[in-house]
């Protein structure tokens, strides 16, 4: 199995989740704007959307989209998903929320003209605040880390790195998750800061 990832981008969440699940996989680093794969190769031939992440299975099947890959990882390691009869759907609910309300606003923010940026920044702040409100325990679903935390961590960490002020308790949450061995290992493996 191989994860196509670009250092510092959302695929970092999938990298962390796969390590947390104890799944063995190779890493293929993608130059995200050039669309090339480290060591040679056209990334567009792997994933025609040009987006990371993509997870290639040994039989050649390719799974794309953060929501799908993170859900697949949680299905392999159910301790990385919330429990309860609706647990799987609560997970998909949260992953979809992060993908559509937070994640996709970042490229919109970066490509917007200067006078449109404040409104998008306000929306990102509003939805980060919404998830921050839910963080009454250590993690999104309580005292246990789930793949949704990997995704939120990467989004919140990235937001702080580009200058967004994180609502409490997200700064402490980011610091705490950053210490996890999986995060440190993924950072080393991707060669990212
Ligand atoms: N719909 C995809 C979007 C993933 C995405 O936005 N990936 C970004 C990095 S965080 C990317 O690959 N951008 C490259 C590009 O815009 O060409 C998902 O949710 O997984």
């Amino acid at each position: 199995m191989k994860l196509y990832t670009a250092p510092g981008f959302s695929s970092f969440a999938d990298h962390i989740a796969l390590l947390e699940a104890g799944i063995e996989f190779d890493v293929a680093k993608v130059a995200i704007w050039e669309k090339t794969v480290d060591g040679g190769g056209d990334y567009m031939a792997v994933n025609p959307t040009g987006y990371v992440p993509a997870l290639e299975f040994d039989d050649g099947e390719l799974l794309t989209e953060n929501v799908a890959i993170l859900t697949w990882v949680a299905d392999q390691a159910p301790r990385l998903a919330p429990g309860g009869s609706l647990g799987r759907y609560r997970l998909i609910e949260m992953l979809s929320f992060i993908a559509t309300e937070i994640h996709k606003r970042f490229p919109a923010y970066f490509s917007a003209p200067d006078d449109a940026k404040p409104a998008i920044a306000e929306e990102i702040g509003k939805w980060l605040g919404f998830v921050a409100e839910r963080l009454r325990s250590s993690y999104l679903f309580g005292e246990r880390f789930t793949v949704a935390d990997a995704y939120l961590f990467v989004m919140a960490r990235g937001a702080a790195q580009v200058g967004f002020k994180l609502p409490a308790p997200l700064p402490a949450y980011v610091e705490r998750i950053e210490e996890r061995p999986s995060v440190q290992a993924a950072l080393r493996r991707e060669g990212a800061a």
Side-chain angles (χ1 to χ4, degrees):
M1 184 180 304
K2 192 193 290 179
L3 176 70
Y4 289 88
T5 182
F9 288 86
S10 60
S11 49
F12 186 33
D14 307 84
H15 195 159
I16 294 166
L18 284 162
L19 290 175
E20 290 276 350
I23 294 170
E24 280 193 20
F25 62 102
D26 295 322
V27 164
K29 278 197 238 173
V30 176
I32 199 148
W33 306 124
E34 295 81 4
K35 307 292 179 202
T36 53
V37 183
D38 211 13
D42 174 13
Y43 186 57
M44 298 303 288
V46 176
N47 181 6
T49 66
Y51 289 135
V52 290
L55 186 64
E56 190 176 272
F57 292 88
D58 293 345
D59 64 1
E61 280 235 40
L62 192 76
L63 188 63
T64 64
E65 298 294 310
N66 280 293
V67 174
I69 295 173
L70 291 170
T71 303
W72 180 84
V73 174
D75 285 347
Q76 311 313 302
R79 67 192 147 73
L80 295 175
S85 59
L86 282 183
R88 190 166 192 274
Y89 307 99
R90 291 289 174 219
L91 180 66
I92 295 170
E93 180 181 50
M94 179 54 72
L95 293 174
S96 305
F97 183 84
I98 295 170
T100 57
E101 303 300 341
I102 299 174
H103 182 180
K104 285 315 272 187
R105 283 203 161 90
F106 282 104
Y109 174 82
F110 289 119
S111 60
D114 282 351
D115 61 350
K117 285 189 194 297
I120 303 173
E122 198 175 313
E123 287 172 330
I124 293 173
K126 178 174 85 175
W127 295 126
L128 282 172
F130 177 80
V131 286
E133 280 283 302
R134 296 179 60 122
L135 279 170
R136 293 198 187 90
S137 306
S138 302
Y139 300 108
L140 279 167
F141 292 104
E143 291 305 326
R144 197 156 43 82
F145 180 91
T146 70
V147 296
D149 292 296
Y151 201 8
L152 179 58
F153 162 73
V154 169
M155 290 299 116
R157 182 177 185 267
Q161 282 177 338
V162 297
F164 281 81
K165 187 170 167 8
L166 296 181
L170 280 177
Y173 171 85
V174 169
E175 266 183 39
R176 193 166 59 248
I177 295 181
E178 183 122 23
E179 286 169 8
R180 294 180 78 84
S182 62
V183 174
Q184 292 304 316
L187 283 172
R188 281 195 299 277
R189 226 168 157 195
E190 295 204 8

